[in-house]
């Protein structure tokens, strides 16, 4: 175990406005059947504001944790779509909670939550007691709604996790990496819209996630059979199926919120964790595998022994 810690609070938040595949059929040269077959997505939420979604998820996670904001040692927000160059979105969460600790953002695109989580465990290892980790993105702000190659995939959402040092579980191992030579296949310039070579991203995603998980499993001296719950980044169900099949993880062990959220970037994994916890799919003692990938091209895997 790299760092013992338990999750004492969690929550997710999605904006109210729903855009279904049928809605997109009216404005794009696409069909509901094509989108569902190629991605697994039926609808997504839009109209989100990244710092506000982060605040809502953070406040709910703190309410679940039942602790005062003054007891937090650090606030981390993973986001790449926030509305100000500075200050960080984490500063708004800090203000809304009335916290008195440090607060900063992490931008690793869709890998952001895994990077923030590993960072949180690192700070807990240096002596911090409680860290709030949030992932929040509003991809609807940077998607070109006239581009059928990207508009069908993305949505808005946020999730939060409060970690406390100690307990029987925690971070078992992790793997992070970046294929920076491939950063041109997925990017968004400031003030512009998201550009993506979908087929290339698909291939890099499957390869990097599979390799990353294999490295994390090896470092933990585990194999795929030891994984109880798999929480993948929610980008495309075909990517999840390909990763599961290459690793020998039954797809039923994966958590999938994608059909109703689309890809919410840094929001995707914490939204999926909250979804799984609310449905009793993650239990104390479970070995939970988290795996993210995104622009960079970045990837990150974490194996966590769950303790709440
Ligand atoms: N509706 C209907 N037809 C479409 C659409 C659409 N929305 N998009 C493409 N097509 C057509 C293409 O024009 C092509 O037609 P053709 O055969 O006549 O040339 C055909 O469908 C197949 O196109 P492909 O691009 O090969 O489709 P593919 O199966 O690869 O699916 C997709 C495209 C869904 C984008 C897929 O490549 C994908 O999911 N890639 C990964 C994207 C991803 O995960 N991005 C997020 C990364 S995380 C982050 O950091 C943000």
């Amino acid at each position: 175990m790299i760092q013992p810690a338990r999750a004492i609070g969690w929550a997710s938040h999605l904006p109210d406005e729903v855009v279904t595949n049928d809605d997109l059929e009216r404005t794009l040269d696409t069909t509901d059947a094509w989108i569902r077959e190629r991605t697994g997505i039926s609808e997504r939420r839009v109209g989100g504001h990244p710092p506000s979604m982060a605040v809502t998820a953070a406040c709910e996670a703190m309410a679940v944790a039942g602790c005062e904001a003054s007891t937090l040692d650090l606030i981390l927000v993973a986001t790449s779509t926030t509305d100000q160059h500075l200050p960080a979105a984490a500063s708004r969460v800090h203000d809304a909670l009335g916290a008195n600790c440090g607060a900063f953002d992490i931008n690793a695109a869709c890998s952001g939550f895994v990077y923030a989580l590993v960072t949180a465990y690192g700070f807990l290892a240096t002596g911090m007691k409680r860290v709030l980790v949030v992932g929040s993105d509003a991809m609807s702000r940077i998607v070109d709604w006239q581009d059928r190659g990207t508009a069908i995939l993305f949505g808005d959402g946020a999730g939060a996790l409060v970690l406390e040092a100690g307990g029987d579980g925690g971070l078992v191992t992790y793997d992070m990496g970046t294929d920076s030579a491939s950063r041109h296949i997925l990017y968004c310039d400031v003030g512009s819209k998201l550009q993506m070579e979908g087929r290339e991203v698909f291939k890099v995603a499957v390869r990097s996630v599979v390799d990353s998980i294999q490295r994390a499993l090896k470092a933990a001296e585990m194999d795929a059979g030891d994984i109880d719950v798999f929480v993948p980044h929610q980008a495309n169900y075909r990517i999840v199926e390909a990763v599961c099949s290459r690793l020998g993880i039954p797809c039923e062990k994966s958590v999938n919120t994608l059909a109703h959220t689309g890809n919410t970037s840094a929001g995707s994994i914490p939204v999926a964790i909250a979804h799984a916890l609310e449905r009793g799919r993650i239990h104390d003692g479970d070995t939970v595998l988290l795996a993210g990938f995104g622009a960079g091209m970045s990837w990150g895997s974490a194996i966590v022994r769950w303790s709440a």
Side-chain angles (χ1 to χ4, degrees), residues 28-31 34-35 38-39 108-111 139 147-150 152-154 186 194 196-203 205 233 235-236 238-239 263 265 293-298:
L28 291 170
D29 180 16
T30 191
T31 62
W34 193 97
I35 301 170
R38 298 288 180 125
T39 70
C110 300
S111 309
M139 298 302 281
D147 173 17
R148 69 177 184 171
T150 51
I152 59 161
L153 290 173
F154 295 99
L186 178 55
L194 186 91
M196 183 179 78
E197 293 174 31
R199 232 179 276 189
E200 277 311 301
V201 171
F202 193 106
K203 281 191 254 171
H233 171 44
N236 183 328
R238 283 165 52 224
I239 294 178
N263 178 349
S265 194
F293 66 90
M297 292 292 291
S298 62

Side-chain angles (χ1 to χ4, degrees), residues 18-36 41-44 145 151-152 259:
V18 179
V19 173
T20 64
N21 292 348
D22 291 339
D23 293 330
L24 292 179
E25 261 190 43
R26 284 184 218 111
T27 53
L28 291 170
D29 180 16
T30 191
T31 62
D32 169 53
W34 193 97
I35 301 170
R36 278 193 286 110
I41 300 167
S42 299
E43 61 185 30
R44 69 288 293 145
W145 288 97
I152 59 161

